[in-house]
């Protein structure tokens, strides 16, 4: 009976438009990204070099302590791999995630490989503004209790989910849009004073995806950004929502970069987006296991699948790029930057999305 149930679920999953959207369009956009990377290498275009250990030590000397890096979604996969890599680069890494048990496990794993790693963990549910505000209070209290400068140097918005069924947050939003985009926007907004207060250059790194190429038209109204527009759909369009959320992160990155460039007080704050590519993580945990395993096997045979450690290279590239680098899209490691989609560079759409996101942020603040 159990086998019949598994097979039935897999067949039902395959017989949906959203599955074929993932299977066909996501694969094509991934191949397109890989082709762009290959063209970049053929043209022998140089990528951006990383900051040297001396630069990080210099920042530490100025601060009187290690520069602080906050990473969301750090309980597994890319977040955990990036946390490990950046702890070795000389950052005091603050791991953020929903599960205290998984956070403790990741901290133990990192410590077992790097005993000198400086780590701190906080629980945070990105789908809830109350949780985000509580996190800000907690990290400020920790900084004060530790008698260290009230600032952070690096925020990596890495957390993301692929939900195959509609779930509504306590604040009435679609959970996938809430975690993948709205939560990242709100977290950046509340932590912006700590980033701007840094006496050394600070940075926001937003983890996007090659799937953003599949969005050709997008509205930036309240219903779309909050995801409530999709709740009435007969078949939950999870693939499209995921694509929207990753495009929103890019538009947000470029708009924040533009605003930072115009603000005198933020002259040392930079913003970059990154694309880790296809990485074997647990993001497909809601997809029937036989299908996700088959997908990973095919991607691996095509040479398109990476380990979390390899995928995290683009995140580390974005984190360690020189301070003057801002408003770019890192992809593929080795400091390589590519052009994201034409729609992601639509300045009017980015402005409208920013305005809508700010409206939602203030609405959530009032509700909290």
């Amino acid at each position: 009976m159990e086998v019949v149930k598994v097979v039935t679920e897999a067949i039902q999953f395959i017989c949906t438009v959203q599955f074929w959207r993932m299977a066909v369009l996501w694969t094509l956009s991934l191949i397109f990204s890989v082709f762009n990377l290959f063209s970049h290498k053929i043209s022998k275009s140089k990528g951006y070099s990383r900051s040297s250990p001396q630069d990080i030590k210099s920042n530490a000397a100025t601060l009187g302590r290690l520069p602080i890096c906050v990473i969301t979604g750090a309980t597994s996969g890319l977040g955990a791999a990036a946390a490990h890599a950046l702890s070795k680069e000389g950052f005091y890494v603050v791991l953020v995630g929903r599960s205290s048990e998984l956070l403790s496990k990741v901290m133990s794993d990192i410590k077992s490989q790097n005993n000198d790693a400086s780590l701190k963990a906080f629980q945070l549910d990105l789908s809830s503004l109350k949780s985000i505000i509580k996190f800000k209070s907690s990290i400020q209290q920790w900084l004060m209790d530790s008698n260290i400068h009230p600032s952070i140097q690096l925020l990596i918005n890495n957390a993301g989910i692929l939900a195959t069924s509609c779930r509504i947050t306590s604040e009435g939003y679609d959970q996938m849009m809430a975690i993948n985009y709205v939560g990242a926007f709100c977290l950046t907004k509340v932590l912006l004073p700590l980033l701007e207060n840094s006496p050394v250059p600070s940075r926001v790194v937003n983890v996007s995806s090659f799937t953003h190429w599949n969005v050709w038209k997008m509205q930036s109204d309240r219903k779309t950004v909050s995801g409530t527009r999709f709740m009435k759909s007969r078949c939950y369009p999870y693939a499209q929502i995921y694509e929207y959320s990753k495009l929103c992160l890019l538009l947000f990155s470029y708009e924040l970069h533009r605003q930072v460039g115009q603000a005198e007080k933020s002259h040392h704050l930079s913003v970059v987006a990154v694309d880790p590519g296809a990485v074997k993580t647990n993001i497909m945990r809601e997809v029937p296991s036989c299908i996700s395993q088959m997908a990973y096997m095919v991607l691996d045979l095509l040479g398109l699948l990476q380990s979390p450690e390899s995928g995290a290279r683009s995140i580390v590239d974005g984190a360690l790029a020189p301070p003057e680098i801002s408003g770019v899209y890192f992809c593929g490691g080795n400091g390589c930057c590519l052009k994201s989609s034409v729609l992601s560079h639509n300045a009017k759409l980015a402005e409208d999305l920013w305005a809508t996101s700010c409206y939602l942020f203030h609405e959530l603040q009032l509700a909290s």
Side-chain angles (χ1 to χ4, degrees), residues 155-175:
L155 168 62
I156 300 178
N157 288 312
N158 163 74
I161 63 168
L162 176 62
T164 58
S165 60
C166 181
R167 292 193 290 272
I168 302 171
T169 69
S170 59
E171 290 155 346
Y173 289 13
D174 173 81
Q175 189 187 48

Side-chain angles (χ1 to χ4, degrees), residues 31-46 336-338:
I31 291 171
F32 179 70
S33 294
V34 171
F35 176 77
N36 282 343
L37 279 170
F38 182 72
S39 300
H40 186 275
K41 290 176 182 176
I42 290 295
S43 65
K44 296 183 179 178
S45 301
K46 288 187 177 180
C336 179
C337 287
L338 300 177

Side-chain angles (χ1 to χ4, degrees), residues 212 215 218 243-251 341 343-344:
H212 84 275
V215 184
M218 179 181 169
E243 295 161 6
Y244 281 146
S245 69
K246 294 304 181 178
L247 176 63
C248 284
L249 279 172
L250 275 172
L251 290 163
S341 70
L343 190 59
S344 71

Side-chain angles (χ1 to χ4, degrees), residues 129-347:
L129 184 65
K130 288 181 181 178
S131 182
I132 291 172
I133 291 172
K134 181 182 177 182
F135 167 70
K136 182 192 177 183
S137 298
S138 297
I139 197 168
Q140 284 180 315
Q141 188 65 49
W142 170 62
L143 290 170
M144 187 169 68
D145 292 345
S146 304
N147 195 30
I148 53 181
H149 193 274
S151 66
I152 61 177
Q153 286 61 55
L154 185 58
L155 168 62
I156 300 178
N157 288 312
N158 163 74
I161 63 168
L162 176 62
T164 58
S165 60
C166 181
R167 292 193 290 272
I168 302 171
T169 69
S170 59
E171 290 155 346
Y173 289 13
D174 173 81
Q175 189 187 48
M176 185 152 46
M177 281 299 292
I179 291 175
N180 291 10
Y181 171 64
V182 179
F185 179 88
C186 293
L187 180 64
T188 305
K189 284 280 283 185
V190 301
L191 293 184
L192 211 51
L194 292 175
L195 288 158
E196 292 175 337
N197 196 41
S198 174
V200 300
S202 56
R203 172 166 288 156
V204 175
V205 177
N206 290 323
V207 181
S208 185
S209 164
F210 56 88
T211 59
H212 84 275
W213 283 97
N214 297 313
V215 184
W216 302 294
K217 185 173 69 173
M218 179 181 169
Q219 294 174 289
S220 56
D221 59 287
R222 182 190 182 283
K223 287 186 175 181
T224 301
V225 179
S226 66
T228 55
R229 178 182 302 280
F230 310 111
M231 294 176 187
K232 297 177 182 178
S233 302
R234 188 170 62 87
C235 297
Y236 184 63
Y238 57 87
Q240 287 169 282
I241 296 172
Y242 186 83
E243 295 161 6
Y244 281 146
S245 69
K246 294 304 181 178
L247 176 63
C248 284
L249 279 172
L250 275 172
L251 290 163
F252 164 47
S253 301
Y254 298 147
E255 179 61 17
L256 180 57
H257 160 71
R258 186 186 68 79
Q259 294 195 17
V260 161
Q262 295 177 345
E264 290 184 13
K265 66 178 180 180
S266 301
H267 70 278
H268 63 282
L269 173 64
S270 57
V271 188
V272 301
V274 303
D275 174 7
V279 183
K280 190 173 184 179
T281 66
N282 62 357
I283 195 166
M284 292 181 71
R285 59 184 172 272
E286 294 188 27
V287 175
S289 61
C290 58
I291 295 175
S292 61
Q293 287 171 15
M294 178 68 72
Y296 283 140
M297 185 176 74
V298 171
L299 289 172
D300 194 28
L301 286 172
L302 293 173
L304 301 175
L305 188 65
Q306 303 177 86
S307 67
E309 291 72 27
S310 295
R313 288 183 301 185
S314 58
I315 298 176
V316 177
D317 284 344
L320 298 182
E324 65 274 11
I325 304 303
S326 188
V328 299
Y329 182 56
F330 284 90
C331 184
N334 300 315
C336 179
C337 287
L338 300 177
K339 267 281 191 184
S340 53
S341 70
V342 173
L343 190 59
S344 71
H345 288 281
N346 186 318

